[in-house]
C-alpha cells in the first residue's frame, strides 16, 4: 500500500460525464432503426384472474397493427422472471395487477396503445391475497400449485428446494434465553418500495438473419445475453446485447426483462426492429421492488448488554413470482453465541419483489437495529457503547474477515458526529419540536470471483480496455479506466474503454452484488501484468502492431469472508404536532477498502442514503385492499425523495488494507443503503421516546403514536 | 393515447365558439392553459378529448394588472409569475406563497393560475382510473379504502379533497372569478365557485362544459393586513398538500379587525372557517385564543378510518399560523 498512486485514489470526474449531462449520450431508448415498430403491453386489471376468452380480431385489423402476442400464440418462458415456477411471457391465470396479457407491435406508439383497448378479454375473477402472512394461512387462495410458501432457493443453485422456511442456526437459542438476564420481544414491518431508477425499462430488438441484437438497459450484458439465448433457444453467439449508457438500475435490471423477450419475438414475427418502452407506472408495478417483511424478534441479553440469544421469525412478500431470495438480514452484524433465523418467503397477488440495492438488508437492519436500540435504552447503555461491545468480529462468530474497519467506523463516526455532545435519553426533550440521534451498522459482501478483461496497446500508446461492464451509474467505466491507467502506469486520458456490448467485450460478472470493481478490476490488474511483461520482452508496438493481453482470474478466499462495512449516524428533528421528520445531520462512515475514485464513491454513498431515507420516511407501494390495485405507482405517488428533501450527507472512508481486491478495493455500491432505515428509526425513537414499528415513518403514524 | 385535434384560438369569442361547437356535436373539449395536468391525464387515459382548445394565444390573459379597484390577474398567468410578482408578494402575500408551493419549478413555469384552480382531484383512486363518482361511476372507493389523504369536512358521497393551493388563498383574499360562457361573462365570488359533491358529484366547481375561468379579480389591498399560506406536504416538493392554511388577518394596534381563514386539502372544496374568524375579530390573538381557534377549526371534523391524524394536525396548524401572523 505504500507505493505512490498517480491516478487511483484521486477524485476524478466521470470520463463520460459530459456526454451524460449534455444529452449526447445514447441511452437504449435513444437508439432508432429504420422501419422500427413500437410495442405496448396490455396488463391485467385484476390481482388474480383466469383468462376465459380473448378476441384479437378488432385489434389485428386496427391501423398500423403488425403483430399481437398472447398466452395462446406465444409460449416462451421468461426464465429469469421466476427461479422456481415456469413463468411464461404471458401467463394464465394472471397473478397480479400488471401481469402481461398481450403485447402489440404497431407502426407508432399511439396506434399500439389504441390497439390495446381493442383487445377484448373475458376474465374469471379468482380470490386474491396481498399480505405474506395472510397468504400462508389455511384457506388462502393458492397462487402457484403447492401453496404460497415459496421453496428455498440459493444463489448457488437454480434447483428449488423444499417448501420449508429458510433457517439459519448456531448455538441453542432456548438455552441462550435461559442464560439471559433480560429477554425482549418485538415485531417490525417494512413495505414494498420501488428501485425508482431514472431510466425505465426499454428494449429494442433487431434480427439480421438468425442473429438477434437487443439494445436494453441491463446490469449485466453477459447475464442478459445468456437469459435471452436460453429462453429464445438460440446459441449464445447468436445473441448480442448492447447497453452503452444506462440510467440506473439498483437491482431492478439484474436479469433479462420480459420486455427484452417480447420485443425479440415481435421483431421475429414482423421481420422488423421492435422497440418496447415501459411507462413509469409499468416500471413500478410490472418489474419489481424491495420485498416487504414482517419480523418477529426475541433477544436475550446480560445486564451489561452482552448479547446472549437472537431469534427471528420473519415473513417476506415475494409477490406473484419468485425472482429472488427474500431474506431478512442484519442479525449477522452482531456477535452472539445463540442465533436462529427462520424466514418464510410467500407468494402474494402483488407486484413482484426482488433485488433492490442491498436486497435483504435495509429492512432487516431496521428490525434488528430497532430492537437492539430499545434494549440499550432499557439497560441505560449508550448505543455507541452497545455497538462497540456487540458488533461482529468474525463472520457468524467463526470465520475471519479479510479486513474489517467496522469498529473504526463506529469510533471515528462517533467523534465526527459529536455523538456524546448530542446524546440525550429518549424522549427527554420538552416542547413540540424535538431532536434525536441514532446510529446503525451494516455491511455487504465484497466477493471476489471470475471476470475478464482484454487490454490492447497500440503504437500511439493508447490502451484499449475491453470489459463487459455496463456503467449503471456507479461510474464503473471510469473506475475500470483508473485501474487500467494505474496498473499500466499511464495517464488516464490514454485509456479508451470499450464496454457494454457482448460482441466487443469479454465476459464480465454483471453490475450487481457490488462485484464489478473487485471481479473485473482484478482481471484488469492481471491482464496489465501480462501486458507489462510483453512490453518488457518485446518493446512497445510499432506501426500497425498491437500488444494484447487477456486475463480471466478466478480468485478464491480460503477460510475467510470479505466484507465492506458501513456505520451511519443521523440527527433528526421531529415536529410532534405536525408529525414531520427532517434529517438535520448525517454522517456516513464506510470501510470499502482502498477507494479508487473518492468522488464517485462519495456520490454513491450519498445516493444510498437518499434512497434509504425515502424508504424510511416516504415510500410504500400502497394497495387498495378491496380490489388489489396499487394506488400510487410512480415518482409522484410514491413520494420518492426530491433534492430538497435531502440533508447534507457527510461521507468518510476508513480505508482498511485488504489484499484481495484491485489495489485493495472492496465494495462501495450496495452498502450505503443498508444502515439508513435503522439509524433513522433509532433517531426518531430518541427524539419522541416512542418506537414507530411499521415503515414508512409517516405523519399519520407519528401523530397517532403521540396522541 | 387517442388522437385529438389541437386548436389555438386567437380570441375569447373564438374559444366560446369552439366550446359551443363541441357541445353541439357531442364532442369532448378540454381547455389547455399550461397543459401540465391535462397532458398527464390524457396520457394516463383519464380523459380522452376530441378537441384540445389551447389558450396560449390569448395574450390578454397573461397579465397582472393593478388598478384602482384592485388587481386583475389573467387566467393564463403562470404560477411562477404570480409567486414572483412584487405587488402580489407584498400586498397579497398569501397568494404569492401559495403559488410558490405548487409542484416543481418546471410545473410552475408552465402551470397557470386558472389551471391550478380548476385542476381535477388528485385522489389516487381517481388518478388510477377507478370508476368512481368523479369518473361518472357510482361510488367513492376511499370510503372503505385507503383514505389517509381524504376529506375530514364536507365529504359525501365523494371524499376527495380539493387539491389547489391558490384556491384557498384566493378565497381568503375574497377574490372574484370572471367566467366567460356562451351568453357572455359573469363574475362570482371565489367562495361561490366551488361546489360540494353533495350538490354536484362529478365536478368540483360551477363551470359548465362551455365555460372558461378567464380572470381573477383581487379587491384593493388593505392597510395593516398580514397574510400567509402554510402547506404541509409529505415531501418537500412536487406533491399536493396534506393540509394547508390560508390566513389573512388585519391587525390594528394589536387587535384583530378582520380575519379570513381557509383550509386546503381537508374538504372537497377550499374550507372556509367563518366561525373561527368570528372568534378572532375584536380580540388580541393570544396563545390561548389561538389554541381555542385551533380547537374550533376542527370541531365539526368527521374523519374516516385512516385520516384521523388530520384533526390534531389541523388544530395545531391553525393555532401556529395565527400566532405567527399575530406575532
Amino acid at each position: 500500500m505504500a507505493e505512490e498512486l498517480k491516478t487511483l485514489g484521486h477524485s476524478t470526474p466521470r470520463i463520460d460525464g459530459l456526454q451524460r449531462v449534455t444529452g449526447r449520450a445514447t441511452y437504449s431508448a435513444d437508439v432508432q432503426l429504420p422501419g422500427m415498430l413500437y410495442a405496448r403491453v396490455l396488463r391485467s386489471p385484476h390481482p388474480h384472474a383466469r383468462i376465459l376468452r380473448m378476441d384479437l380480431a378488432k385489434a389485428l385489423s386496427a391501423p398500423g397493427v403488425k403483430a399481437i402476442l398472447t398466452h395462446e400464440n406465444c409460449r416462451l418462458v421468461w426464465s429469469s422472471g421466476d427461479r422456481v415456477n415456469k413463468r411464461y411471457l404471458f401467463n394464465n391465470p394472471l397473478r397480479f395487477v400488471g401481469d402481461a396479457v398481450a403485447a402489440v407491435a404497431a407502426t407508432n406508439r399511439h396506434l399500439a396503445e389504441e390497439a390495446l383497448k381493442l383487445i377484448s378479454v373475458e376474465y374469471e375473477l379468482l380470490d386474491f391475497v396481498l399480505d405474506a402472512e395472510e397468504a400462508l394461512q389455511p384457506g388462502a387462495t393458492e397462487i402457484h400449485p403447492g401453496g404460497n410458501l415459496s421453496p428455498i432457493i440459493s444463489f448457488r443453485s437454480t434447483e428449488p428446494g423444499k417448501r420449508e422456511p429458510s433457517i439459519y442456526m448456531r448455538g441453542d437459542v432456548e438455552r441462550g434465553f435461559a442464560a439471559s438476564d433480560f429477554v425482549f420481544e418485538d415485531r417490525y414491518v417494512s413495505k414494498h418500495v420501488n428501485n425508482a431508477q431514472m431510466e425505465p425499462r426499454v428494449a429494442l430488438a433487431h434480427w439480421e438473419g438468425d442473429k438477434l441484437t437487443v439494445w436494453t438497459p441491463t446490469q449485466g450484458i453477459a447475464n442478459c445475453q445468456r437469459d435471452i439465448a436460453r429462453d429464445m433457444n438460440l446459441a449464445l453467439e447468436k445473441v448480442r446485447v448492447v447497453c452503452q449508457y444506462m440510467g440506473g438500475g439498483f437491482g431492478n435490471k439484474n436479469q433479462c426483462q420480459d420486455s427484452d423477450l417480447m420485443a425479440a419475438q415481435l421483431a421475429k414475427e414482423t421481420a422488423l426492429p421492435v422497440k418496447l418502452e415501459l411507462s413509469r407506472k409499468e416500471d413500478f408495478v410490472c418489474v419489481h421492488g424491495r420485498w416487504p417483511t414482517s419480523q418477529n424478534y426475541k433477544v436475550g441479553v446480560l445486564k451489561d448488554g452482552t448479547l446472549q440469544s437472537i431469534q427471528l421469525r420473519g415473513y417476506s412478500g415475494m409477490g406473484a413470482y419468485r425472482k429472488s431470495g427474500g431474506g431478512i438480514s442484519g442479525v449477522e452484524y452482531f456477535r452472539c453465541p445463540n442465533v436462529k433465523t427462520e424466514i418464510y418467503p410467500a407468494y402474494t397477488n402483488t407486484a413482484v419483489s426482488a433485488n433492490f440495492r442491498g436486497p435483504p438488508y435495509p429492512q432487516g437492519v431496521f428490525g434488528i437495529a430497532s430492537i437492539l436500540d430499545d434494549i440499550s435504552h432499557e439497560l441505560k447503555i449508550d448505543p455507541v457503547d452497545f455497538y462497540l461491545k456487540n458488533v461482529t468480529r468474525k463472520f457468524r462468530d467463526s470465520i475471519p474477515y479479510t479486513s474489517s474497519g467496522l469498529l473504526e467506523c463506529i469510533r471515528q463516526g462517533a467523534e465526527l458526529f459529536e455523538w456524546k455532545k448530542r446524546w440525550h435519553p429518549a424522549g427527554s426533550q420538552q416542547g413540540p419540536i424535538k431532536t434525536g440521534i441514532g446510529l446503525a451498522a451494516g455491511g455487504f459482501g465484497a466477493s471476489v470471483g471470475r471476470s475478464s478483461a482484454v487490454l490492447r496497446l497500440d503504437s500511439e500508446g493508447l490502451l484499449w480496455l475491453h470489459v463487459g461492464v455496463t456503467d449503471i451509474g456507479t461510474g464503473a467505466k471510469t473506475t475500470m479506466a483508473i485501474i487500467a491507467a494505474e496498473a499500466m502506469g499511464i495517464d488516464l486520458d490514454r485509456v479508451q474503454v470499450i464496454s457494454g456490448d457482448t460482441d466487443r467485450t469479454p465476459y464480465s460478472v454483471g453490475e450487481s452484488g457490488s462485484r464489478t470493481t473487485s471481479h473485473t478490476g482484478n482481471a484488469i490488474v492481471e491482464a496489465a501484468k501480462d501486458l507489462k511483461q510483453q512490453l518488457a520482452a518485446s518493446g512497445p508496438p510499432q506501426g500497425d502492431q498491437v500488444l494484447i493481453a487477456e486475463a480471466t482470474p478466478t480468485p478464491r478466499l480460503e477460510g475467510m469472508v470479505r466484507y465492506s462495512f458501513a456505520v451511519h449516524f443521523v440527527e433528526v428533528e421531529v415536529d410532534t404536532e405536525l408529525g414531520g421528520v427532517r434529517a438535520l445531520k448525517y454522517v456516513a462512515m464506510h470501510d470499502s477498502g482502498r477507494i479508487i475514485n473518492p468522488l464517485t464513491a462519495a456520490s454513491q454513498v450519498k445516493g444510498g442514503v437518499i434512497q434509504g431515507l425515502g424508504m424510511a420516511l416516504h415510500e410504500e407501494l400502497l394497495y387498495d385492499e378491496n380490489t388489489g390495485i396499487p394506488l400510487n405507482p410512480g415518482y409522484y405517488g410514491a413520494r420518492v425523495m426530491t433534492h430538497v428533501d435531502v440533508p447534507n450527507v457527510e461521507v468518510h472512508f476508513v480505508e482498511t488494507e485488504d489484499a484481495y481486491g484491485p489495489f485493495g478495493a472492496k465494495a462501495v455500491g450496495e452498502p450505503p443503503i443498508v444502515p439508513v432505515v435503522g439509524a433513522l428509526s433509532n433517531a426518531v425513537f430518541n427524539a419522541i421516546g416512542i418506537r414507530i414499528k411499521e415503515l414508512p415513518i409517516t405523519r399519520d403514524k407519528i401523530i397517532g403514536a403521540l396522541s | 393515447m387517442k388522437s385529438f385535434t389541437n386548436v389555438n384560438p386567437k380570441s375569447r369569442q373564438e374559444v366560446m365558439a369552439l366550446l359551443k361547437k363541441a357541445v353541439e356535436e357531442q364532442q369532448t373539449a378540454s381547455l389547455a392553459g399550461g397543459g401540465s395536468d391535462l397532458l398527464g391525464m390524457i396520457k394516463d387515459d383519464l380523459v380522452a378529448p376530441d378537441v384540445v382548445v389551447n389558450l396560449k394565444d390569448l395574450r390578454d390573459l397573461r397579465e397582472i394588472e393593478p388598478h384602482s379597484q384592485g388587481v386583475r390577474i389573467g387566467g393564463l398567468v403562470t404560477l411562477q409569475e404570480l409567486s414572483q410578482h412584487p405587488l402580489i408578494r407584498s400586498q397579497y402575500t398569501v397568494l404569492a406563497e401559495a403559488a410558490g408551493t405548487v409542484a416543481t419549478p418546471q410545473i410552475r413555469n408552465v402551470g397557470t393560475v386558472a389551471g391550478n384552480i380548476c385542476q381535477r382531484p388528485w385522489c389516487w383512486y381517481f388518478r388510477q382510473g377507478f370508476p368512481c363518482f368523479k369518473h361518472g361511476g357510482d361510488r367513492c372507493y376511499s370510503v372503505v379504502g385507503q383514505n389517509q389523504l381524504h376529506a375530514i369536512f364536507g365529504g359525501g358521497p365523494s371524499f376527495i379533497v380539493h387539491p389547489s393551493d391558490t384556491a384557498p388563498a384566493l378565497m381568503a383574499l375574497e377574490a372574484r372569478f370572471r367566467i366567460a360562457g356562451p351568453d357572455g361573462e359573469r363574475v362570482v365570488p371565489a367562495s361561490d365557485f366551488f361546489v360540494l359533491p353533495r350538490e354536484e358529484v362529478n365536478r368540483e366547481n360551477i363551470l359548465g362544459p362551455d365555460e372558461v375561468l378567464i380572470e381573477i379579480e383581487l379587491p384593493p389591498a388593505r392597510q395593516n393586513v398580514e397574510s400567509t399560506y402554510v402547506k404541509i406536504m409529505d415531501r418537500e416538493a412536487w406533491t399536493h398538500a396534506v393540509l394547508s392554511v390560508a390566513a389573512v388577518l388585519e391587525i390594528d394596534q394589536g387587535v384583530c379587525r378582520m380575519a379570513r381563514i381557509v383550509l386546503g386539502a381537508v374538504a372537497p372544496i377550499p374550507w372556509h372557517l367563518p366561525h373561527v374568524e368570528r372568534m378572532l375579530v375584536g380580540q388580541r390573538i393570544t396563545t390561548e385564543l389561538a389554541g381555542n381557534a385551533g380547537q374550533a377549526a376542527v370541531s365539526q371534523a368527521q374523519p374516516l378510518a385512516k385520516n384521523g391524524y388530520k384533526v390534531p394536525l389541523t388544530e395545531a396548524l391553525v393555532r401556529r399560523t395565527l400566532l405567527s401572523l399575530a406575532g
Side-chain angles (χ1 to χ4, degrees):
Chain A
M1 292 285 286
E3 81 273 31
E4 180 99 7
L5 296 172
K6 209 171 120 203
T7 305
L8 201 142
H10 300 279
S11 278
T12 308
R14 290 160 196 262
I15 57 175
D16 60 357
L18 195 66
Q19 283 84 342
R20 285 179 185 263
V21 299
T22 53
R24 281 177 296 178
T26 306
Y27 289 82
S28 302
D30 297 327
V31 181
Q32 304 277 339
L33 294 176
M36 184 173 87
L37 301 177
Y38 287 87
R40 289 291 187 266
V41 182
L42 181 68
R43 306 273 176 191
S44 173
H46 305 295
H48 201 191
R50 196 180 312 282
I51 300 171
L52 298 178
R53 261 172 296 279
M54 295 184 77
D55 184 354
L56 307 181
K58 267 192 182 166
L60 279 169
S61 60
V65 172
K66 299 293 183 190
I68 302 179
L69 304 177
T70 71
H71 75 281
E72 288 170 343
N73 64 17
C74 174
R75 299 301 288 162
L76 285 178
V77 170
W78 175 27
S79 57
S80 54
D82 194 319
R83 297 171 59 136
V84 172
N85 308 285
K86 195 169 262 190
R87 181 178 186 181
Y88 296 93
L89 271 192
F90 305 93
N91 294 279
N92 192 16
L94 300 157
R95 297 183 176 91
F96 69 103
V97 170
D99 217 348
V101 175
V104 175
T107 47
N108 72 43
R109 296 178 171 106
H110 306 304
L111 293 174
E113 279 170 21
E114 284 308 294
L116 296 182
K117 294 175 196 157
L118 300 174
I119 298 173
S120 85
V121 188
E122 192 183 327
Y123 298 101
E124 176 196 354
L125 302 191
L126 306 173
D127 287 344
F128 64 90
V129 61
L130 304 176
D131 176 79
E133 286 183 74
E134 280 172 32
L136 296 176
Q137 294 298 313
T141 188
E142 204 171 84
I143 298 168
H144 291 283
N148 294 335
L149 177 60
S150 189
I152 294 173
I153 56 173
S154 87
F155 286 102
R156 306 269 168 258
S157 151
T158 50
E159 278 303 301
K162 291 181 186 161
R163 299 230 175 195
E164 289 171 352
S166 179
I167 293 176
Y168 167 77
M169 262 189 338
R170 68 173 179 259
D172 178 338
V173 284
E174 290 310 327
R175 225 161 8 165
F177 292 129
S180 298
D181 294 321
F182 304 100
V183 175
F184 295 83
E185 288 187 72
D186 226 319
R187 174 185 161 85
Y188 306 91
V189 174
S190 74
K191 299 298 177 70
H192 180 105
V193 295
N194 189 264
N195 309 48
Q197 79 290 341
M198 280 232 281
E199 178 194 33
R201 280 279 185 171
V202 58
L204 168 58
H206 178 45
W207 293 82
E208 284 168 302
D210 61 354
K211 176 140 184 179
L212 169 67
T213 301
V214 181
W215 287 262
T216 184
T218 173
Q219 296 178 229
I221 50 172
N223 303 335
C224 191
Q225 176 196 34
R226 183 201 57 212
D227 291 343
I228 293 171
R230 183 175 53 215
D231 293 342
M232 302 285 298
N233 198 22
L234 295 166
L236 206 57
E237 68 274 13
K238 295 295 180 188
V239 179
R240 176 185 176 205
V241 172
V242 184
C243 178
Q244 289 295 306
Y245 288 91
M246 189 162 142
F250 310 113
N252 193 284
K253 295 169 176 164
N254 281 165
Q255 303 91 352
C256 145
Q257 181 65 22
D258 57 355
S259 43
D260 302 335
L261 300 170
M262 289 176 190
Q265 186 62 21
L266 286 167
K268 192 175 182 180
E269 294 193 7
T270 59
L272 288 168
V274 174
K275 182 185 276 187
L276 199 169
E277 300 153 305
L278 263 55
S279 67
R280 179 68 61 196
K281 181 173 165 181
E282 284 175 300
D283 215 68
F284 263 68
V285 176
C286 310
V287 182
H288 69 241
R290 185 179 300 286
W291 49 89
T293 66
S294 53
Q295 309 169 30
N296 304 282
Y297 289 93
K298 187 173 176 185
V299 178
V301 284
L302 299 180
K303 279 183 197 134
D304 68 356
T306 307
L307 289 169
Q308 285 300 296
S309 196
I310 301 175
Q311 183 180 301
L312 163 63
R313 196 181 71 258
Y315 299 87
S316 297
M318 302 316 294
Y321 299 95
R322 188 74 186 282
K323 246 181 169 176
S324 186
I328 300 172
S329 304
V331 172
E332 71 194 58
Y333 303 132
F334 297 94
R335 54 178 176 178
C336 180
N338 307 292
V339 174
K340 182 178 183 188
T341 63
E342 190 178 348
I343 312 297
Y344 296 76
Y347 298 119
T348 54
N349 294 111
T350 59
V352 172
S353 297
N355 291 348
F356 176 3
R357 200 171 192 174
Y361 289 105
Q363 59 273 52
V365 171
F366 160 61
I368 188 69
S370 293
I371 193 163
L372 296 184
D373 194 57
D374 283 349
I375 291 171
S376 50
H377 173 72
E378 290 295 328
L379 299 181
K380 298 191 167 50
I381 299 173
D382 185 297
V384 169
D385 297 332
F386 186 91
Y387 270 73
L388 286 171
K389 180 190 284 283
N390 285 306
V391 290
T392 175
R393 268 64 168 180
K394 286 181 176 177
F395 181 70
R396 292 178 169 169
D397 290 355
S398 60
I399 311 172
Y401 295 108
T402 56
S403 60
S404 170
L406 179 55
L407 290 170
E408 208 40 44
C409 282
I410 298 170
R411 286 193 198 105
Q412 280 190 31
E415 288 297 316
L416 291 162
F417 184 79
E418 299 179 299
W419 176 272
K420 286 212 181 317
K421 197 180 105 188
R422 293 171 196 275
W423 172 254
H424 60 75
S428 62
Q429 285 182 345
Q430 300 302 306
I433 298 173
K434 303 175 194 298
T435 61
I437 61 174
L439 89 157
F444 198 89
S447 68
V448 292
R450 187 171 73 91
S451 199
S452 302
V454 174
L455 293 174
R456 178 163 57 97
L457 185 68
D458 67 20
S459 60
E460 301 291 325
L462 281 180
L463 183 70
W464 298 79
L465 168 62
H466 297 251
V467 277
V469 306
T470 43
D471 190 339
I472 63 172
T474 56
K477 237 184 265 180
T478 309
T479 309
M480 296 298 107
I482 290 172
I483 292 171
E486 194 67 52
M488 288 304 296
I490 60 173
D491 288 342
L492 184 63
D493 63 6
R494 307 305 288 162
V495 182
Q496 303 286 312
V497 184
I498 308 295
S499 65
D501 184 338
T502 55
D503 269 10
R504 300 167 69 203
T505 62
Y507 168 80
S508 187
V509 64
E511 286 59 52
S512 55
S514 274
R515 298 179 298 180
T516 297
T517 298
S518 286
H519 289 224
T520 310
N522 275 336
I524 295 170
V525 171
E526 285 298 308
K529 273 184 203 158
D530 178 359
L531 192 60
K532 281 196 281 194
Q533 281 170 8
Q534 292 186 43
L535 268 172
S538 57
Q542 305 293 327
D544 294 337
Q545 280 183 332
V546 290
L547 290 181
I548 292 179
E550 183 274 345
T552 305
T554 52
R556 297 173 69 93
L557 300 171
E558 299 297 342
M560 279 187 290
V561 167
R562 196 160 177 268
Y563 253 67
S564 289
F565 293 100
V567 182
H568 288 190
F569 299 80
V570 61
E571 180 170 37
V572 297
E573 179 185 272
V574 182
D575 187 325
T576 56
E577 289 184 331
L578 305 185
V581 178
R582 203 156 60 90
L584 301 175
K585 183 175 177 70
Y586 205 106
V587 173
M589 303 298 301
H590 281 255
D591 161 22
S592 294
R594 174 75 67 87
I595 299 301
I596 306 245
N597 185 353
L599 182 65
T600 51
S603 296
Q604 285 213 66
V605 173
K606 290 175 187 175
V609 172
I610 294 165
Q611 284 177 318
L613 290 175
M615 175 180 168
L617 295 174
H618 296 178
E619 296 171 42
E620 169 185 6
L621 185 62
L622 194 68
Y623 279 81
D624 177 58
E625 288 168 5
N626 301 305
T627 59
I629 297 173
L631 294 174
N632 59 345
Y635 281 176
Y636 169 86
R639 305 179 201 128
V640 176
M641 297 279 282
T642 69
H643 282 289
V644 272
D645 290 289
V646 177
N648 180 36
V649 179
E650 296 170 39
V651 182
H652 301 277
F653 294 105
V654 171
E655 294 193 68
T656 48
E657 298 207 10
D658 189 283
Y660 297 88
F663 297 91
K666 296 201 283 189
V668 175
E670 312 254 8
I673 196 174
V674 171
V676 184
V677 188
L680 200 286
S681 162
N682 292 344
V684 170
F685 172 74
N686 184 244
I688 65 176
I690 297 173
R691 177 74 56 183
I692 308 295
K693 297 174 188 174
E694 182 176 320
L695 298 179
I697 303 172
T698 43
R699 193 178 308 286
D700 52 335
K701 296 191 185 108
I702 288 180
I703 292 176
L706 291 166
S707 62
Chain B
M1 79 173 72
K2 195 186 78 171
S3 55
F4 56 83
T5 307
N6 182 76
V7 191
N8 300 336
K10 305 286 184 240
S11 67
R12 293 184 195 187
Q13 293 72 17
E14 210 183 320
V15 173
M16 292 308 128
L18 283 163
L19 294 181
K20 187 161 174 254
K21 180 159 165 270
V23 170
E24 283 167 4
E25 294 178 2
Q26 296 191 323
Q27 289 200 320
T28 310
S30 291
L31 294 166
S36 59
D37 190 20
L38 179 65
L39 192 61
M41 289 188 62
I42 293 173
K43 282 182 165 181
D44 288 343
D45 252 330
L46 299 175
V47 287
D50 302 297
V51 183
V52 170
V53 179
N54 192 328
L55 305 172
K56 66 177 185 177
D57 288 341
L58 302 186
R59 301 264 162 214
D60 61 322
L61 299 186
R62 297 179 155 271
E63 302 297 324
I64 299 175
E65 284 176 76
H67 54 90
S68 59
Q69 298 305 306
V71 181
R72 205 158 38 229
I73 300 170
L76 294 179
V77 167
T78 67
L79 296 162
Q80 181 66 11
E81 289 161 351
L82 202 54
S83 71
Q84 296 302 317
H85 194 276
L87 178 73
I88 305 294
R89 284 167 71 101
S90 62
Q91 303 293 309
Y92 305 92
T93 311
V94 62
L95 180 58
E97 289 181 356
T101 68
V102 176
T104 62
Q106 291 95 326
I107 291 174
R108 292 197 291 275
N109 280 333
V110 295
T112 63
V113 63
N116 184 263
I117 294 164
C118 299
Q119 68 186 302
R120 295 308 312 273
W122 278 82
C123 166
W124 39 39
Y125 289 99
F126 175 76
R127 293 280 164 170
Q128 291 304 315
F130 280 68
C132 67
F133 283 122
K134 293 290 177 186
H135 281 305
D138 64 354
R139 77 186 79 167
C140 175
Y141 287 84
S142 81
V143 177
V144 292
Q146 301 286 9
N147 50 38
Q148 293 84 326
L149 298 174
H150 288 74
I152 57 170
F153 298 108
S158 164
F159 287 83
I160 63 124
V161 294
H162 202 278
S164 172
D165 289 306
T166 55
L170 289 164
M171 262 174 67
L173 290 169
E174 298 183 84
R176 294 157 67 81
F177 292 171
R178 180 174 293 274
I179 297 166
D183 307 318
E185 295 182 359
R186 58 182 170 137
V187 177
V188 300
S191 51
D192 292 349
F193 182 74
F194 302 98
V195 292
L196 281 168
R198 72 173 73 102
E199 297 158 27
E200 192 82 68
V201 79
N202 54 14
R203 58 182 180 176
E204 295 78 56
N205 56 53
I206 59 173
L207 290 180
D210 50 4
E211 290 187 308
V212 188
L213 170 59
I214 54 168
E215 231 166 53
I216 291 125
E217 295 176 4
L218 297 180
R222 297 160 65 128
Q223 293 292 302
N224 304 320
V225 163
E226 295 286 340
S227 72
T228 191
Y229 184 77
V230 186
K231 179 178 180 181
I232 302 291
M233 292 184 275
D234 278 343
R235 65 178 172 192
E236 297 291 317
W238 190 26
T239 185
H240 287 83
V242 172
L243 160 70
S244 66
V245 177
V248 180
L249 296 184
E250 182 184 332
I251 295 176
D252 187 15
Q253 297 179 354
V255 177
C256 177
R257 302 292 177 195
M258 184 279 293
R260 292 278 293 183
I261 303 164
V262 182
L263 305 179
V266 288
I269 59 173
W271 197 247
H272 184 202
L273 299 174
H275 66 292
V276 177
E277 294 163 2
R278 284 193 293 273
M279 291 170 67
L280 303 174
V281 172
Q283 307 291 323
R284 283 176 189 280
I285 297 181
T286 60
T287 307
E288 191 193 355
L289 180 61
N292 292 342
Q295 283 176 14
V298 294
S299 59
Q300 310 289 318
Q302 291 180 303
L304 301 161
K306 297 183 176 186
N307 65 1
Y309 71 97
K310 280 191 170 186
V311 176
L313 180 65
T314 304
E315 182 182 336
L317 196 67
V318 168
R319 165 167 49 78
R320 286 194 194 180
T321 305
L322 290 175
L323 284 174
S324 78
L325 274 185

